[in-house]
Amino acid sequence: MKKNLETLCIHGGWKPTKGEPQQLPIYQSTTFKYDTSEQMARLFDLKDDGYFYTRLANPTNDAVARKIAALEGGVGAVLTSSGQAASFYSVFNICEAGDHFISTNTIYGGTYNLFGVTLKKLGIECTFVDPDWDDERIEACFRPNTKCVFGESISNPGGNILDIERFARLAHAHGVPLIVDNTFPTPINCRPFEWGADIVTHSTTKYMDGHACQVGGVVVDSGNFDWDAYADKFPGLTTPDESYHGLTYTKAFGRMAYCTKLVSQLMRDLGSIPSPQNAFLLNLGLETLHLRVARHCENAQKVAEWLQAQPEVAWINYAGLPGNKYYELACKYMPKGTCGVIAFGLKGTRQDAIRFMDSLEFISIVTHVADARTCVLHPASHTHRQLSDEQLIEAGVAPDLIRLSVGIENVDDIIADLEKAMKK
Ligand SMILES: *Cc1c(COP(=O)(O)O)cnc(C)c1O
């Protein structure tokens, strides 16, 4: 029976049978026992499925990955120790030194730095494009060695909406997959695979966990991209891997090729796994994801409408507001709502913005976003402080931008706290 998202949030992944625990158990074990040497050898040759070492696979982590894959409508998923690790693995699984890829420039500051600075040191070059550019200008950025296109469904912190169908079309016209970081809308509000994206990543640290108790990430594969059709671009997937006796991922694993390679090469060598305990906490969060996301959006809509009416507010970017530049794209890709994160600027100086934030009562100043508690951040003084004003604007972050992450408290209390601080 095909299940709806709300049911998958509860029943996806772990499927207990007779006498097994109803709640997902925490397999807090580094290793798993076998009876014969032959059994173990077959696992190492990727001939049998099974657990042997938690860096490569763990039953708790796998159950949570299966739940997220089901929510996104993918064929497989791999949990990582952070969203950063997920972004890195998603690209590094198909790019190596000498390769090139394209990313929108309106992405999370950490990802911008990973792509623009750290991957460059590994010999992988990223061209950042403005998602507002026309097709021709974006097409001009593709090169023979371009291997993927990356964007965020809703950008953090700017709140811009990615035209997923358009970017999928541009990527596919050049024989490469589209990777979408779907952290902010979550699969409850947006399912990028339905619009042509090939791979989805998440920082599960945000809404998926939702309680600010674990840092994690996930890479999900739709299984739809035909690597063999562009075999010369993706030799890592389409030619023999000598570290597994000459096995070829696409031949041996079909639609699971990308995920299998990610685990058997990248996890094996780089090892950014979450602890089973963290995967368990993430799973608890996922059980209520559909309830929380709906409330985040309902509250954020009311807060955004209130902010828009305040004389102290210079500008506001929330795609749920009619008249917003991204309103139509939001209606198309996220008809149930976008997310709880609002970007706005106050009239007055940078100092006024800081005084406003310092005057808030229960709304806290934290680096985090997208969990149950309402919080604020000033990216120019916090997360993005290593960027110049010019780079900030290029990354879609106005120097006066305040990022307000609306939680699931009573919305009247949230507005009262904002109002009191604004009057100060
Ligand atoms: C937070 C975030 C990341 C990075 O995730 P971590 O879990 O902090 O490593 C990546 N992308 C987006 C959109 C984010 O909000």
Side-chain angles (χ1 to χ4, degrees):
M1 182 179 106
K2 192 174 176 299
K3 308 231 175 22
N4 290 296
L5 291 175
E6 295 79 356
T7 309
L8 290 173
C9 281
I10 315 285
H11 294 286
W14 175 243
K15 295 210 169 37
T17 55
K18 185 166 176 273
E20 283 184 328
Q22 173 79 323
Q23 180 53 277
L24 172 65
I26 305 173
Y27 285 87
Q28 194 71 43
S29 181
T30 56
T31 195
F32 300 84
K33 179 188 172 292
Y34 288 90
D35 292 330
T36 68
S37 169
E38 166 67 12
Q39 286 171 349
M40 180 74 93
R42 290 184 61 82
L43 294 175
F44 271 96
D45 285 349
L46 303 182
K47 283 185 181 139
D48 280 350
D49 255 353
Y51 298 102
F52 53 106
Y53 192 56
T54 284
R55 168 150 46 74
L56 289 154
N58 172 281
T60 308
N61 295 3
D62 275 8
V64 182
R66 281 200 306 275
K67 178 180 283 189
I68 297 173
L71 287 169
E72 287 287 5
V75 293
V78 183
L79 295 191
T80 58
S81 55
S82 68
Q84 284 300 105
S87 302
F88 174 57
Y89 282 16
S90 72
V91 171
F92 198 58
N93 203 30
I94 46 175
C95 283
E96 57 188 48
D99 284 344
H100 168 261
F101 70 108
I102 291 171
S103 172
T104 58
N105 60 8
T106 52
I107 51 172
Y108 173 68
T111 315
Y112 193 86
N113 201 69
L114 167 66
F115 290 175
V117 179
T118 300
L119 284 184
K120 196 169 176 184
K121 290 181 191 163
L122 295 175
I124 298 168
E125 204 184 332
C126 179
T127 301
F128 292 102
V129 301
D130 184 330
D132 288 342
W133 286 355
D134 62 21
D135 284 4
E136 205 172 65
R137 195 156 172 206
I138 294 173
E139 302 232 40
C141 298
F142 282 86
R143 305 177 190 173
N145 61 344
T146 302
K147 297 298 166 75
C148 62
V149 176
F150 188 100
E152 286 176 5
S153 47
I154 303 180
S155 73
N156 174 7
N160 310 349
I161 311 286
L162 185 73
D163 190 345
I164 301 169
E165 243 179 357
R166 175 173 173 246
F167 273 79
R169 172 170 53 73
L170 291 168
H172 296 161
H174 292 85
V176 301
L178 174 65
I179 305 175
V180 172
D181 179 335
N182 197 33
T183 298
F184 271 14
T186 82
I188 300 300
N189 281 349
C190 178
R191 304 218 309 163
F193 295 156
E194 292 173 357
W195 303 101
D198 302 284
I199 291 150
V200 157
T201 63
H202 284 272
S203 165
T204 62
T205 318
K206 313 294 167 52
Y207 291 117
M208 281 195 169
D209 166 326
H211 303 79
C213 57
Q214 59 88 48
V215 171
V218 67
V219 182
V220 191
D221 184 16
S222 67
N224 292 338
F225 193 81
D226 187 355
W227 309 104
D228 282 321
Y230 306 97
D232 54 326
K233 276 191 197 292
F234 305 105
L237 283 157
T238 60
T239 60
D241 177 357
E242 290 319 323
S243 66
Y244 289 105
H245 309 303
L247 163 156
T248 299
Y249 289 95
T250 51
K251 285 206 179 69
F253 302 105
R255 296 179 82 202
M256 283 299 287
Y258 178 91
C259 281
T260 309
K261 175 177 182 288
L262 198 155
V263 170
S264 51
Q265 288 182 350
L266 300 188
M267 279 303 179
R268 179 194 63 191
D269 297 349
L270 301 170
S272 315
I273 51 151
S275 71
Q277 170 81 30
N278 275 2
F280 171 83
L281 292 169
L282 168 58
N283 191 56
L284 273 190
L286 289 170
E287 291 190 354
T288 56
L289 183 67
H290 55 301
L291 301 175
R292 291 183 290 101
V293 165
R295 178 59 71 88
H296 280 290
C297 292
E298 185 188 321
N299 282 357
Q301 187 69 30
K302 288 184 185 151
V303 170
E305 284 165 13
W306 178 83
L307 280 171
Q308 196 174 33
Q310 303 312 303
E312 293 88 352
V313 172
W315 59 271
I316 172 166
N317 189 13
Y318 185 66
L321 291 174
N324 180 275
K325 188 174 165 192
Y326 298 98
Y327 182 71
E328 276 76 32
L329 285 177
C331 290
K332 173 175 173 178
Y333 294 113
M334 303 156 200
K336 288 191 279 183
T338 53
C339 67
V341 181
I342 298 170
F344 70 99
L346 288 176
K347 288 176 190 157
T349 63
R350 215 166 158 142
Q351 210 46 46
D352 291 326
I354 291 168
R355 267 219 339 269
F356 161 75
M357 288 188 290
D358 289 349
S359 307
L360 292 162
E361 189 198 307
F362 74 86
I363 299 177
S364 45
I365 302 175
V366 294
T367 314
H368 194 46
V369 277
D371 73 53
R373 296 163 185 78
T374 300
C375 57
V376 285
L377 177 87
H378 185 224
S381 344
H382 307 138
T383 44
H384 289 58
R385 61 181 299 131
Q386 72 277 26
L387 302 189
S388 67
D389 274 14
E390 202 176 50
Q391 284 173 315
L392 278 174
I393 289 162
E394 194 186 303
V397 182
D400 65 343
L401 183 153
I402 295 172
R403 184 179 70 184
L404 173 65
S405 176
V406 179
I408 54 175
E409 302 96 337
N410 182 297
V411 70
D412 296 335
D413 294 339
I414 298 170
I415 291 175
D417 199 358
L418 293 170
E419 184 165 30
K420 197 167 60 71
M422 215 170 274
K423 297 303 169 223
K424 272 198 184 169

